[in-house]
Amino acid sequence: MGHSHLTLTTVNISAPDARELAQFYARLLNRNVLVDEQDWVMLDAPDGGVRLSFQTESPYERPSWPTEPSKQQMMMHLEIRVDDLQAASAHALACGSTLADFQPQDDVRVHLDPAGHPFCLWVAS
């Protein structure tokens, strides 16, 4: 049986409003919109990495962080490497995130995007 080359191109994130969440991540990550449809928006990957896209889901339920029994669990989260944790955290807050109440590590900052998805800012050592 032959092998096929598989390439991960895009991560799609559910949201109550695809455009609103795409605008947040465009500001946060300094990316541009490639595709803007009514319920689906895709951002570019200027470094040639994985693109992000956002899909409006109705109904949408915010994930809980940390996980709680009988609550919507996060299905995934983004890990974002930064050079300066304090400056990156301030930038994320200015873009519209909130700092999560629960912070499991001193060298990582967990933020919540406007749709409630957790994402982690971390410094490479």
Side-chain angles (χ1 to χ4, degrees), residues 10-109:
T10 309
V11 172
N12 192 57
I13 301 173
S14 297
D17 183 322
R19 284 188 176 127
E20 179 183 331
L21 196 57
Q23 290 170 359
F24 166 78
Y25 279 102
R27 287 188 309 270
L28 180 71
L29 300 171
N30 194 29
R31 291 188 175 197
N32 297 305
V33 173
L34 285 178
V35 179
D36 185 350
E37 297 177 359
Q38 181 175 347
D39 292 325
W40 185 74
V41 179
M42 178 186 285
L43 301 181
D44 67 359
D47 60 359
V50 176
R51 293 179 298 234
L52 292 176
S53 66
F54 306 88
Q55 182 173 332
T56 299
E57 296 289 349
S58 180
Y60 175 82
E61 188 172 335
R62 291 172 69 93
S64 63
W65 171 257
T67 301
E68 297 178 45
S70 302
K71 299 265 184 156
Q72 175 64 43
Q73 295 182 10
M74 67 173 180
M75 300 301 287
M76 54 152 267
H77 67 275
L78 300 178
E79 295 279 339
I80 302 170
R81 186 180 65 226
V82 301
D83 295 329
D84 180 324
L85 190 56
Q86 186 174 358
S89 186
H91 171 67
L93 291 169
C95 288
S97 75
T98 56
L99 190 62
D101 290 335
F102 178 63
Q103 297 292 325
Q105 297 164 283
D106 291 335
D107 58 347
V108 174
R109 289 294 167 272

